[in-house]
Amino acid sequence: MVQKRVWIILADGFEETEAIGTWDALRRAGMEGVELVSINDTVEVKGAHGLLLQADTTLNDLPSDLVDAVVLPGGMDGANNLYAHEGVRTLLKRHHEAGRLVAAICASPFVLARIGLLDGVRATIYPGLEKELEKAEVVAGPVVTDGNIITGRGPRYAFHYGVEIVRYLLGDNAANEVATALLLKEVL
């Protein structure tokens, strides 16, 4: 068991593959403190492709303390819903300012960009949305880490994104073990 706490924030319209793939990679690394967090008033969240998921808790019920990482899956509707939620914006800013990891994949890097977290930062985003990162240094790679920010390009790279979060929080050995278990040889 690894004592790291991670909140994966879910809004209606989230990309299922990115949320579950990331959660899976973190849990494979032995992180017991990974929680799926609904921004809704209930723990039920509906994915972009209709999956109804029951989160562990809601944003309103989170403690006020900081965790090791706040992670956003993508999905255009999900990203728009995340950005529209003042509590999500506040949570991201607070964790970033405290030097904690903030991660976003697919469309959700625009959430970070719109609140100023990607100014001057190397980042990636879903193809075609690069204009959303106007103050960032846009990189076309699958996953990009710059300081305490990780961004991922899209669903194809959900496990790569999760492995990079593992690398950031637990180091190369843990990341390589998870990458091997997931058959991601190119990550090694």
Side-chain angles (χ1 to χ4, degrees):
M1 178 171 62
V2 180
Q3 297 299 323
K4 294 289 182 181
R5 294 177 59 211
V6 178
W7 291 335
I8 300 175
I9 311 299
L10 303 176
D12 287 336
F14 72 93
E15 175 58 53
E16 293 96 339
T17 300
E18 295 161 356
I20 302 304
T22 302
W23 178 90
D24 180 83
L26 300 177
R27 291 300 303 244
R28 283 175 189 265
M31 290 187 216
E32 295 290 326
V34 180
E35 291 184 274
L36 297 171
V37 179
S38 167
I39 69 165
N40 298 334
D41 291 334
T42 70
V43 293
E44 288 188 352
V45 190
K46 189 171 186 176
H49 305 286
L51 177 69
L52 188 60
L53 188 107
Q54 182 173 323
D56 299 304
T57 189
T58 67
L59 191 66
N60 291 335
D61 291 331
L62 290 179
S64 62
D65 55 336
L66 297 171
V67 293
D68 297 292
V70 176
V71 175
L72 306 180
M76 186 54 86
D77 289 343
N80 281 320
N81 289 330
L82 289 169
Y83 178 71
H85 195 289
E86 182 179 345
V88 171
R89 296 190 310 268
T90 300
L91 182 74
L92 291 166
K93 288 178 189 175
R94 194 165 75 92
H95 277 76
H96 181 261
E97 289 167 4
R100 303 299 172 97
L101 177 62
V102 175
I105 189 171
C106 194
S108 65
F110 85 67
V111 176
L112 304 183
R114 289 181 183 175
I115 61 175
L117 301 187
L118 296 184
D119 293 0
V121 173
R122 293 176 66 246
T124 192
I125 193 165
Y126 192 83
L129 296 178
E130 293 86 357
K131 67 185 177 305
E132 293 285 348
L133 305 185
E134 64 183 42
K135 293 184 180 178
E137 179 186 335
V138 179
V139 178
V143 181
V144 177
T145 301
D146 191 340
N148 65 325
I149 295 177
I150 295 174
T151 52
R153 193 142 191 206
R156 174 182 177 190
Y157 303 110
F159 283 126
H160 297 78
Y161 175 68
V163 168
E164 189 60 21
I165 294 168
V166 170
R167 184 179 317 282
Y168 183 94
L169 294 173
L170 302 178
D172 289 339
N173 287 342
N176 289 338
E177 286 178 18
V178 172
T180 298
L182 292 171
L183 304 178
L184 297 176
K185 301 222 185 276
E186 68 273 16
V187 174
L188 298 174

